Amino acid sequence: MAKKPEEIKPGLPAWQGTFGDLMNLLLCFFVLLFSMATMDAAKFEEVAASFSSAFGIFSGGEMAIGKGALIGDGVSQLTELSSYITSMGLAQSGEDSDAEEDAVGEKEEHELKEALEEKQLEASQELAEQIQEAIEEGDIENQVFLNYTSQYVELTIQGSILFNSGKVDIKEDAIPVIDKVGQILESYAGGTIEIEGHTDNVPMSGGGKYSNNDELSSGRALSIFNYFVENTNLDPAKLLHTGRGEYDPIADNSTDEGRARNRRVEIKIYNPLSANY
């Protein structure tokens, strides 16, 4: 008599269920890794180190499977991983928020600086217009040249008008010009006034009192300063005098005309909105 065929039990074998669960967990794990693909390298290394120490997947994974610990531990660790990713996202969001606030702050600061610069320039322009009118009334527009920036109004007088070559004593025929400039300063300069002496780049020659252009430019600025102190009501505490020598040219020193322009005295009248007022 023939044997009856063995009855096949319904459902999958037990090993296939365990294998399927394992595949699902691995799929979830790689999906999580993929979701973190946009993070920076430093943060990825932190996550990788956390996985390596907690899961035992990256090192000794085959032992974990053999012991059956991977599945049980993996479920609990995935929950912790979710919390980690959530907190990491919040931290990243906080960093982005701080960066946005910094960008807004920098933009506002830049706009404030531009607004202040514009107001300062308007103040200098208004002061320059008043001083230019006084220069024309004093009939010294051919001896005194005006310019202005957002910080100050600048009066420039050529050195040949004020001094003899290599000298610091003010020429007699320059006194009327200096007197009118002093009157303008008394009328329109309420803050700091800076007197700068400038020279060309030709070295000093002879055995005079001044051995180089630095000393000569300083001596000329000091002569103008002393004249204003002795002959005007300007506050000496608000008068500055400096020698710039040959280091701030406004023209080419290779020509006679350029060197003549570089030999000059500049008087800077700071406007009320200037930081140096």
Side-chain angles (χ1 to χ4, degrees):
M1 183 175 179
K3 294 183 178 180
K4 292 183 178 180
E6 294 183 2
E7 185 178 351
I8 300 175
K9 296 181 180 180
L12 296 174
W15 69 269
Q16 289 187 4
T18 302
F19 183 77
D21 290 340
L22 176 60
M23 292 300 101
N24 286 334
L25 288 174
L26 287 175
L27 175 62
C28 292
F29 168 70
F30 285 110
V31 168
L32 288 173
L33 285 182
F34 179 77
S35 68
M36 294 184 289
T38 57
M39 73 171 67
D40 57 43
K43 288 184 178 178
F44 181 80
E45 290 178 0
E46 293 178 4
V47 176
S50 176
F51 279 138
S52 178
S53 60
F55 289 177
I57 293 176
F58 293 106
S59 60
E62 71 286 351
M63 293 180 63
I65 293 175
K67 294 179 180 179
L70 176 61
I71 297 176
D73 290 348
V75 173
S76 61
Q77 292 295 337
L78 287 175
T79 303
E80 295 180 11
L81 175 61
S82 177
S83 300
Y84 176 82
I85 294 173
T86 301
S87 63
M88 185 175 65
L90 292 175
Q92 182 66 38
S93 176
E95 292 175 2
D96 293 342
S97 178
D98 292 342
E100 290 177 1
E101 290 179 1
D102 291 342
V104 171
E106 291 177 0
K107 181 179 179 181
E108 291 178 351
E109 182 179 357
H110 180 69
E111 290 175 351
L112 288 174
K113 287 182 178 179
E114 285 187 342
L116 177 59
E117 181 85 8
E118 184 177 351
K119 290 295 183 182
Q120 290 174 332
L121 191 61
E122 290 176 359
S124 288
Q125 183 178 4
E126 181 179 353
L127 181 60
E129 290 173 355
Q130 296 172 341
I131 293 177
Q132 182 62 42
E133 185 177 348
I135 289 174
E136 293 173 358
E137 289 178 356
D139 196 25
I140 56 174
E141 63 267 25
N142 293 328
Q143 290 82 31
V144 181
F145 303 95
L146 182 145
N147 194 9
Y148 65 91
T149 69
S150 62
Q151 298 296 310
Y152 54 78
V153 175
E154 180 182 86
L155 305 181
T156 300
I157 309 174
Q158 294 303 312
S160 58
I161 296 174
L162 299 173
F163 309 101
N164 291 317
S165 179
K167 305 296 182 181
V168 300
D169 299 321
I170 300 174
K171 295 163 64 173
E172 287 296 327
D173 54 0
I175 295 299
V177 176
I178 296 298
D179 285 336
K180 291 178 181 179
V181 171
Q183 293 171 7
I184 292 173
L185 297 179
E186 288 178 325
S187 300
Y188 299 106
T192 301
I193 301 170
E194 187 171 5
I195 305 166
E196 291 184 353
H198 298 264
T199 68
D200 56 29
N201 66 345
V202 178
M204 298 289 294
S205 60
K209 180 179 179 181
Y210 299 97
S211 59
N212 56 58
N213 286 321
D214 294 336
E215 294 179 358
L216 179 64
S217 63
S218 296
R220 288 181 170 180
L222 181 60
S223 293
I224 302 298
F225 167 83
N226 288 334
Y227 188 87
F228 285 153
V229 170
E230 295 170 1
N231 297 278
T232 69
N233 294 321
L234 295 171
D235 183 359
K238 294 183 177 181
L239 291 174
L240 305 178
H241 56 91
T242 58
R244 300 297 306 278
E246 63 192 69
Y247 307 112
D248 189 18
I250 58 174
D252 187 357
N253 274 311
S254 64
T255 65
D256 292 338
E257 181 182 359
R259 289 191 293 271
R261 289 186 60 197
N262 289 332
R263 296 189 295 269
R264 68 198 189 277
V265 170
E266 294 177 348
I267 301 174
K268 298 178 179 178
I269 309 165
Y270 287 90
N271 70 56
L273 297 182
S274 170
N276 296 327
Y277 183 74

